[in-house]
Amino acid sequence: MKKTLALAGLITLTAACGGPAATTKAPDPAKLTLVDRTAKAAGPLDSAVWLLDEEPGTLDLDSDGGTNNRTVMANVCERLMQTQPDMTVKPWLAEKAEQPDPKTMVLTLRQDATFHDGSPVTADDVVWSLKRHAGEGMDESDEFEDVESVSKTGDHQVTIALKKPNALFVQALAGGAGIVLNKEVVEKLGKDYGTPGHEDGCSGPYQVKEWASGSQITIERYDAYWNKAVKPLTKSITFKWADDTALVNSLATGAAQGAYLSDTGPAVALQANQAVSVSYGATTKVFVLLPTDRGVLKDPKIRRALSLAVDRAGIAKSGFAGLARPWKVPVGAGAWSYEKAAFQAAYDQLQGAPESPQLEEAKKLVQEAGSPKEPIIVATNGEQARTVIANAVVDAAKKIGLSAEIKTVPASEFGSFYTDKSMRAQVDLVPDDWYITKADPIGFYDNGLTGSSNNWVGYSSPAYDELVAKALETTDDAARAKQVIELQRMFTADMVWISLVEVPNAVVLGSKVTGPPASQVHMGYPWAVDLGAKG
């Protein structure tokens, strides 16, 4: 759904809804108070309406692990490990994850977990699920690049053999790579899995009750849920999708009870409205430009020139209502869970991704690259942020002697850039938001490895590959931070991706509800379990 509503319009809507008008000044994203959770709920809710910015194309996260899809299914499907609101990880469907040696992980499974059809979660289901996630073209396949084999080694035991040590694989199992599906259900449904009117094949505290295509998705508390210590307060949650106008109206009038925001305009518009509360959480999310090897972006000089020429401060203001900050690296500061001072110092010293354009330096790089005339094709799905970014790229390119054009792709197809090479062959740059669920920047930098499924531009550096391997094996935080900082320098020196702005996580709640986490964990943690009535 197209999102081009100006901030002034959002503020007018807010005032018209009965609450006090928000100021036009966005909160300073560098000074926000970030919280892991909103205030704890005091009582039950019969139902709640939760807003998404668009309808999921599928509920099969292997086919498309987009933000909206994950936000719904985090409450329905469970993982071997579970990320908590403070970004730590604990065992879940696996009660233990042990490593007898650096290249072997042994998972001991819970024996009481069951799927929504009442059947037990078995080692066979786990093996089958992990192999499905690892399949070519699957959304989580990049997490399995270091996996040699997955096998059942006991009635309740699965062993994962790694090609080389990977200190973060246990965290991957708390993300989409660790989702356990009901093998029998998913195989029976085939291509129909994840589409309206079919079983969800999962084991979580909620189950999919209804998907009225084009209208809404409802999940309902699963009262036979295996984990009796988890007691969801809200009986059913109906997901609806809304553009910025409808989102602001619905939240301010009480027609909807909450939303995790993908766009920042509503957060600014609703900030001072007493009918709602806006909470901000730590993020690893950064809006970036992903280059392909289709044309002139193969040349790192052109990538560096574009990075120098693009107006990050302007993008933050126009695309994110000011609730974003220009950012030099492709992963947000929420990943700095250790050695924060070292990461900050290294970040401050980085060059090549300025807040405001450095056009003369960029022009020199274009001339050194031979001043190519082939136009740069920039994708957008029509959303405000991506369209602002695409326009900023076109403007920057023209100012430094390059040409650029915009190609609009239907929102429902935008996620296919990650799985469909033929789509990537049509464009040179894809603006998108990128986040990691791991609280460690090394969880991002494998995207620069030679042959990585997200390394579309074909960057290849044996030294980089070797350092990624070393960092993944390094358990000492200080030593690993030094390695990651060097990876950061190498990645940004060649602009494997072009980083633009960091955006805080934001959750808006109606005045009568509270409880869910504010951090970006809502894409993997069952946040609806914590949603309930205020005291």
Side-chain angles (χ1 to χ4, degrees):
M1 199 172 289
K2 199 169 183 181
K3 299 186 178 177
T4 56
L5 191 65
L7 178 59
L10 288 171
I11 293 165
T12 301
L13 282 169
T14 308
C17 292
T23 64
T24 57
K25 183 175 175 59
D28 183 347
K31 298 178 180 178
L32 289 176
T33 298
L34 303 182
V35 296
D36 295 334
R37 299 176 181 267
T38 57
K40 187 176 180 179
L45 283 174
D46 186 59
S47 63
V49 173
W50 200 269
L51 298 181
L52 308 172
D53 60 346
E54 62 186 33
E55 181 176 12
T58 177
L59 297 181
D60 180 358
L61 299 187
D62 278 329
S63 295
D64 184 358
T67 301
N68 294 301
N69 314 27
R70 289 177 186 242
T71 301
V72 175
M73 298 306 285
N75 303 294
V76 176
C77 295
E78 294 188 297
R79 294 145 173 82
L80 290 160
M81 309 295 287
Q82 188 184 85
T83 306
Q84 302 304 295
D86 65 357
M87 298 295 284
T88 60
V89 168
K90 73 176 186 180
W92 199 251
L93 289 177
E95 62 181 16
K96 284 192 296 185
E98 299 172 301
Q99 291 194 259
D101 64 71
K103 295 199 293 183
T104 305
M105 180 176 292
V106 179
L107 303 173
T108 302
L109 307 179
R110 297 187 66 109
Q111 298 184 35
D112 55 351
T114 57
F115 291 113
H116 292 150
D117 64 358
S119 64
V121 176
T122 69
D124 291 321
D125 292 306
V126 172
V127 171
W128 180 86
S129 297
L130 296 184
K131 289 182 176 179
R132 185 179 196 260
H133 303 326
E136 185 176 357
M138 293 301 195
D139 200 75
E140 295 289 331
S141 60
D142 61 315
E143 297 284 12
F144 291 86
E145 290 170 356
D146 288 344
V147 174
E148 183 70 46
S149 65
V150 180
S151 56
K152 176 182 176 180
T153 49
D155 288 344
H156 307 286
Q157 187 183 85
V158 171
T159 298
I160 300 167
L162 299 168
K163 299 172 186 175
K164 54 188 177 183
N166 186 326
L168 293 184
F169 190 70
V170 69
Q171 291 200 42
L173 295 180
I179 291 174
V180 179
L181 299 169
N182 188 323
K183 175 177 181 284
E184 182 179 343
V185 167
V186 177
E187 284 190 330
K188 177 183 68 177
L189 291 174
K191 291 183 178 179
D192 287 333
Y193 177 67
T195 63
H198 296 99
E199 295 175 76
D200 57 56
C202 292
S203 62
Y206 286 85
Q207 60 183 334
V208 177
K209 180 183 179 183
E210 179 194 29
W211 182 358
S213 185
S215 176
Q216 62 188 41
I217 296 171
T218 300
I219 62 173
E220 188 172 58
R221 183 172 60 206
Y222 181 56
D223 288 332
Y225 180 51
W226 60 270
N227 192 333
K228 303 308 177 186
V230 175
K231 301 185 185 302
L233 292 172
T234 302
K235 184 177 180 182
S236 72
I237 298 171
T238 298
F239 294 91
K240 298 184 178 182
W241 25 98
D243 64 12
D244 288 344
T245 313
L247 185 145
V248 170
N249 276 322
S250 296
L251 289 166
T253 61
Q257 282 66 57
Y260 285 104
L261 302 180
S262 59
D263 292 335
T264 52
V268 178
L270 292 166
Q271 184 72 34
N273 192 309
Q274 293 177 358
V276 301
S277 63
V278 184
S279 300
Y280 300 97
T283 185
T284 65
K285 182 193 285 189
V286 176
F287 266 79
V288 297
L289 290 164
L290 286 83
T292 73
D293 62 356
R294 170 186 176 275
V296 299
L297 270 299
K298 287 186 292 188
D299 190 334
K301 288 183 178 179
I302 298 298
R303 301 197 297 271
R304 288 198 291 267
L306 268 181
S307 179
L308 288 167
V310 73
D311 184 0
R312 289 173 175 79
I315 288 171
K317 182 178 180 180
S318 300
F320 300 89
L323 191 64
R325 56 177 172 174
W327 200 245
K328 302 177 186 179
V329 296
V331 62
W336 298 346
S337 61
Y338 63 101
E339 297 295 319
K340 185 172 183 177
F343 282 117
Q344 184 68 62
Y347 175 90
D348 292 341
Q349 293 171 12
L350 280 175
Q351 304 296 315
E355 292 191 15
S356 300
Q358 296 177 358
L359 297 178
E360 294 307 312
E361 189 178 345
K363 288 177 183 177
K364 290 178 184 178
L365 286 169
V366 171
Q367 291 168 359
E368 290 175 14
S371 300
K373 302 303 179 187
E374 182 183 347
I376 295 168
I377 309 300
V378 191
T380 180
N381 61 354
E383 284 191 351
Q384 179 175 337
R386 291 178 180 84
T387 299
V388 166
I389 291 169
N391 285 326
V393 171
V394 171
D395 182 61
K398 289 179 179 177
K399 287 179 177 176
I400 58 176
L402 299 170
S403 63
E405 302 169 2
I406 295 174
K407 179 181 176 66
T408 301
V409 176
S412 60
E413 298 176 15
F414 200 77
S416 298
F417 280 117
Y418 292 94
T419 56
D420 189 340
K421 291 181 181 179
S422 66
M423 282 192 66
R424 297 201 292 270
Q426 301 172 36
V427 300
D428 297 288
L429 284 170
V430 177
D432 208 4
D433 57 318
W434 190 272
Y435 58 86
I436 58 172
T437 57
K438 309 175 184 75
D440 190 327
I442 188 57
F444 169 83
Y445 286 104
D446 59 351
N447 289 301
L449 288 170
T450 302
S452 167
S453 59
N454 294 317
N455 180 359
W456 302 344
V457 79
Y459 173 76
S460 181
S461 164
Y464 184 97
D465 295 351
E466 183 179 346
L467 191 54
V468 169
K470 285 183 179 178
L472 285 170
E473 296 175 23
T474 302
T475 56
D476 179 78
D477 285 350
R480 188 167 70 260
K482 289 180 181 178
Q483 294 162 342
V484 173
I485 286 167
E486 176 60 13
L487 288 170
Q488 175 179 274
R489 186 199 65 76
M490 297 171 74
F491 192 97
T492 55
D494 268 351
M495 291 297 162
V496 184
W497 295 8
I498 299 171
S499 307
L500 299 172
V501 294
E502 183 200 51
V503 187
N505 208 62
V507 60
V508 181
L509 297 172
S511 60
K512 297 181 180 180
V513 302
T514 188
S519 64
Q520 67 174 38
V521 75
H522 65 275
M523 288 175 277
Y525 169 85
W527 55 268
V529 164
D530 300 330
L531 177 67
K534 279 187 175 178

